[in-house]
Amino acid sequence: MNLKEKIDTDIKTAMVDRNNIERDILRVVKSEIQRSEAGLKTFEDADIVKLMRGQIENLKVIGTERAKKEIWIIEQYLPKMMDHEEIESKITYLISTGINNLGAIMKHFNEHHKGMVDNKKVSEIVKQKLS
């Protein structure tokens, strides 16, 4: 089941359970996906994750208790972010295999860890390791 299908299923479950907060925020996410697709392209899970991260940033600005609950709900759909040690370990391994330039390492992270890392953090660690 892809992320879009899971959201649809969870909206129905939230409706049955009368969980209005979850139902409402998932409907917002679903409508944002539909608006963004607008018949031009079908969103993959990585696109949906990016959209959800944007929703979280918007909700952080609001800062109400309801917004905090909505953030928690959205975070349940996101992949676990790699921490500093995991990123550093992966970079060290890549450098040891002969990949020793920023572009190649960034390409690897974008292909294999999309949505799980902050590219700015990866870039900073790579620059430290290569200098």
Side-chain angles (χ1 to χ4, degrees), residues 8 18 26-27 30 38 43 45-46 53 55 58 60 67 70 75 78 91 94 98 108 115 120 122 125 127 131:
D8 284 339
R18 297 186 190 275
L26 292 177
R27 280 181 173 170
K30 182 179 178 178
F43 267 31
D45 284 354
R53 290 198 194 283
Q55 286 291 116
N58 292 340
K60 284 180 181 177
E70 291 174 346
E75 285 176 341
L78 301 177
I91 291 170
L94 290 172
H108 174 84
K120 185 176 178 183
V122 173
I125 296 171
K127 288 175 184 175
S131 61

Side-chain angles (χ1 to χ4, degrees), residues 4 32-48 50-51 114:
K4 218 185 315 187
E32 281 296 312
I33 293 168
Q34 291 171 337
R35 186 186 63 76
S36 297
E37 287 178 330
L40 301 176
K41 79 171 206 168
T42 302
F43 267 31
E44 301 295 325
D45 284 354
D47 299 315
I48 295 171
K50 185 176 179 181
L51 187 138
K114 190 172 186 133

Side-chain angles (χ1 to χ4, degrees), residues 6-123:
K6 180 165 176 37
I7 290 169
D8 284 339
T9 302
D10 290 349
I11 288 172
K12 292 172 188 169
T13 303
M15 290 170 67
V16 169
D17 295 344
R18 297 186 190 275
N19 185 341
N20 296 338
I21 294 174
E22 184 172 355
R23 180 202 64 206
D24 293 347
I25 191 60
L26 292 177
R27 280 181 173 170
V28 168
V29 169
K30 182 179 178 178
S31 67
E32 281 296 312
I33 293 168
Q34 291 171 337
R35 186 186 63 76
S36 297
E37 287 178 330
L40 301 176
K41 79 171 206 168
T42 302
F43 267 31
E44 301 295 325
D45 284 354
D47 299 315
I48 295 171
V49 166
K50 185 176 179 181
L51 187 138
M52 289 176 134
R53 290 198 194 283
Q55 286 291 116
I56 288 174
E57 291 304 314
N58 292 340
L59 289 167
K60 284 180 181 177
V61 171
I62 296 171
T64 63
E65 282 304 312
R66 181 179 173 109
K68 290 176 185 175
K69 290 176 186 175
E70 291 174 346
I71 289 170
W72 183 85
I73 291 167
I74 292 173
E75 285 176 341
Q76 304 310 303
Y77 294 87
L78 301 177
K80 179 186 169 285
M81 295 292 282
M82 292 175 74
D83 64 19
H84 184 85
E85 290 77 28
E86 290 173 308
I87 295 169
E88 193 168 9
S89 171
K90 186 69 176 177
I91 291 170
T92 302
Y93 171 75
L94 290 172
I95 291 172
S96 73
T97 63
I99 301 174
N100 58 2
N101 70 58
L102 176 64
I105 293 173
M106 294 302 295
K107 181 179 178 184
H108 174 84
F109 271 90
N110 285 328
E111 289 175 356
H112 299 285
H113 306 290
K114 190 172 186 133
M116 298 171 57
V117 295
D118 177 4
N119 284 343
K120 185 176 178 183
K121 186 183 286 187
V122 173
S123 176

